[in-house]
Amino acid sequence: MKIGIMGFGVVGGGVGELVATNAESIKRRCGEDVTIAKILDLRDFPDSPYKCFTKDFNDILNDEEIGVVAEVMGGINPAYQFTKQLLMSGKSVVTSNKELVAKHGTELLKIAAENNVSYLFEASVGGGIPIIRPLYTSLAANELTDIYGILNGTTNYILTQMIKEGATFEDALKGAQQKGYAEKDPTADIEGHDTCRKTAILASLAFGTYVDSEEVPCEGITKITLEDVKYAAKFGSVIKLLGITSRAENGVYAMVCPAILPGEHPLAGIDDVFNGIMVRGDGLGDVMFYGRGAGALPTASAVLSDIVDVVKHKGAGISLGWEPGKDGYLLDAETLPARFYLRLKGSADSFAGKPGYSVYTLDGEKYAGEFAVVTPEVTGQRLCEMIADKNELGSYDILGKIRLVAE
Ligand code: HSE
């Protein structure tokens, strides 16, 4: 089958490389050759071994030999219009574009089904880790209840550098950018938006109803300091950016936030660019997915796995999807109870002997004016009230606040 590629950046270049390197094994798995017929990109690539570049989308749309297109350009526009036109013209589309899947996935999946073609997005979550396909195939016999994920390689790399090397946030971010993990504008990584889109995709697919990432409460890692990392280490824990989603009787919870995990938690040892996703189902219990969450070849490997699937299912669209979203389905995450870490300015005296609170201090003059406490289990809402009521916790400046995740 002939394929098209839209976008020849980090992931598109990886797809080109893997198609060439693994041509034989891809052919064995598909039963036919997979060759790149056209590559759409506005830039010039005079040194590329491929000589099929075009700057005109219509060259791909109107090429009747192309049966599947890899959309790896990222962003909403023009990827959304291009994908729609391709699906309506009877071509399958596979993508790593989590932003597009999170925003317009419901509509694009419907258009694909109506046209008997596939819209697949294995590479949109977890880079090279197979997670999308297991959710709608291997785990289909389970009622899924919870997903906890380290879903962003850039932030996991930054936090690992802070925890293990004592690196500053800025230096660690530069390292992630140099390695090609970060988004073009790393704001989406460090502010948690990328994790949020991936969390919403997983929630939609796992629980069967669309969750809008723009409604999911989302906090990134820009407020995490080396002090927070050191306090967490005092009680044997590490800080990770998590996407969390859980099914409840009347809807789902979803949130993205930095979380403090005990050292023995299955996600605590997942470092550097690696992603880890823990899925809980009623039949299976817990299952862990682990692998490289970003980078050219890992992501290209997931894109190509979708291409292989499309080629094998030639003539029949692969059916996956979710119901459209509904009002009130996304529940208020602030009503979920947890223990919280607070870093406070001042003296810890008023917490001495306070039941349910653990107090931590760091050695060194630099830390003399501050301390940390871990609260008893409270809801996020109740914690805000406690902080606002100076009689309850005392009159402290809050230097840091992080949810603990033990499960
Ligand atoms: N910027 C993303 C990350 C790329 O760091 O995980 C993969 O989605």
Side-chain angles (χ1 to χ4, degrees):
M1 186 184 276
K2 297 227 184 315
I3 69 169
I5 300 179
M6 300 196 298
F8 206 61
V10 173
V11 181
V15 173
E17 192 179 329
L18 268 193
V19 167
T21 319
N22 294 345
E24 272 311 307
S25 57
I26 292 170
K27 181 179 179 180
R28 203 170 52 244
R29 292 190 176 112
C30 296
E32 63 178 283
D33 282 319
V34 169
T35 51
I36 298 173
K38 296 219 166 59
I39 302 173
L40 176 70
D41 202 298
L42 295 178
R43 297 164 292 182
D44 293 315
F45 297 88
D47 300 331
S48 169
Y50 290 103
K51 302 296 168 211
C52 53
F53 287 92
T54 174
K55 294 182 175 27
D56 183 357
F57 166 67
N58 289 307
D59 286 343
I60 291 187
L61 182 67
N62 298 327
D63 187 331
E64 288 184 359
E65 286 191 319
I66 293 180
V68 52
V69 178
E71 184 275 289
V72 285
M73 54 205 309
I76 300 293
N77 292 313
Y80 171 53
Q81 287 79 8
F82 288 178
T83 301
K84 242 166 121 161
Q85 288 184 65
L86 289 166
L87 295 172
M88 288 193 290
S89 78
K91 296 188 197 308
S92 290
V93 177
V94 305
T95 188
S96 57
N97 189 340
K98 50 261 161 148
E99 194 178 351
L100 185 59
V101 177
K103 196 168 172 65
H104 293 295
T106 312
E107 181 193 1
L108 295 172
L109 285 163
K110 185 165 172 275
I111 295 174
E114 285 165 359
N115 289 277
N116 201 27
V117 290
S118 304
Y119 183 54
L120 303 181
F121 43 91
E122 183 61 71
S124 68
V125 181
I129 306 173
I131 176 65
I132 298 296
R133 193 164 286 103
L135 286 185
Y136 72 86
T137 56
S138 334
L139 301 178
N142 286 258
E143 277 297 340
L144 301 174
T145 54
D146 307 274
I147 300 179
Y148 295 83
I150 295 174
L151 299 170
N152 182 270
T154 300
T155 46
N156 204 37
Y157 178 85
I158 293 172
L159 289 172
T160 306
Q161 289 291 308
M162 291 172 76
I163 293 166
K164 298 228 158 131
E165 310 294 337
T168 62
F169 178 88
E170 289 74 19
D171 285 346
L173 172 59
K174 266 187 221 141
Q177 285 174 306
Q178 280 159 5
K179 286 171 186 283
Y181 303 152
E183 300 296 307
K184 266 182 238 158
D185 173 3
T187 312
D189 296 299
I190 60 180
E191 296 293 357
H193 307 149
D194 181 71
T195 298
C196 194
R197 290 167 188 142
K198 293 167 176 170
T199 305
I201 293 170
L202 293 180
S204 304
L205 198 57
F207 306 132
T209 299
Y210 176 68
V211 170
D212 184 349
S213 65
E214 285 172 22
E215 289 175 15
V216 172
C218 174
E219 185 189 333
I221 62 164
T222 50
K223 292 190 198 135
I224 304 295
T225 64
L226 284 172
E227 285 76 21
D228 297 321
V229 165
K230 285 185 180 155
Y231 279 110
K234 276 252 155 185
F235 47 96
S237 298
V238 291
I239 303 174
K240 296 286 180 189
L241 182 67
L242 290 194
I244 303 173
T245 181
S246 300
R247 196 169 60 99
E249 232 164 71
N250 48 347
V252 299
Y253 294 99
M255 68 175 122
V256 171
C257 59
I260 294 185
L261 302 172
E264 62 277 14
H265 192 284
L267 293 172
I270 290 172
D271 288 334
D272 295 316
V273 71
F274 286 88
N275 283 191
I277 306 154
M278 197 174 101
V279 179
R280 189 165 292 156
D282 59 354
L284 181 66
D286 290 351
V287 59
M288 277 281 294
F289 297 85
Y290 169 75
R292 287 185 183 275
L297 292 183
T299 313
S301 140
V303 171
L304 264 173
S305 76
D306 280 345
I307 291 177
V308 168
D309 223 6
V310 170
V311 177
K312 281 164 78 176
H313 284 81
K314 215 168 12 178
I318 297 164
S319 143
L320 75 163
W322 47 71
E323 299 289 315
K326 45 188 184 214
D327 283 349
Y329 175 70
L330 184 65
L331 305 171
D332 181 1
E334 289 298 315
T335 60
L336 283 176
R339 298 185 76 197
F340 284 88
Y341 153 96
L342 298 175
R343 186 156 70 88
L344 304 171
K345 197 167 169 189
S347 140
D349 291 351
S350 66
F351 281 92
K354 201 171 167 72
Y357 288 81
S358 310
V359 178
Y360 302 91
T361 52
L362 293 177
D363 296 333
E365 198 143 315
K366 197 173 151 198
Y367 308 112
E370 64 167 69
F371 65 101
V373 292
V374 173
T375 69
E377 198 165 85
V378 287
T379 64
Q381 263 168 2
R382 174 78 189 108
L383 183 69
C384 286
E385 287 164 18
M386 285 159 64
I387 290 171
D389 180 355
K390 302 289 177 203
N391 295 325
E392 201 155 355
L393 282 189
S395 188
Y396 289 103
D397 286 344
I398 311 281
L399 303 174
K401 170 175 159 250
I402 307 175
R403 179 178 283 263
L404 270 64
V405 168
E407 287 183 276

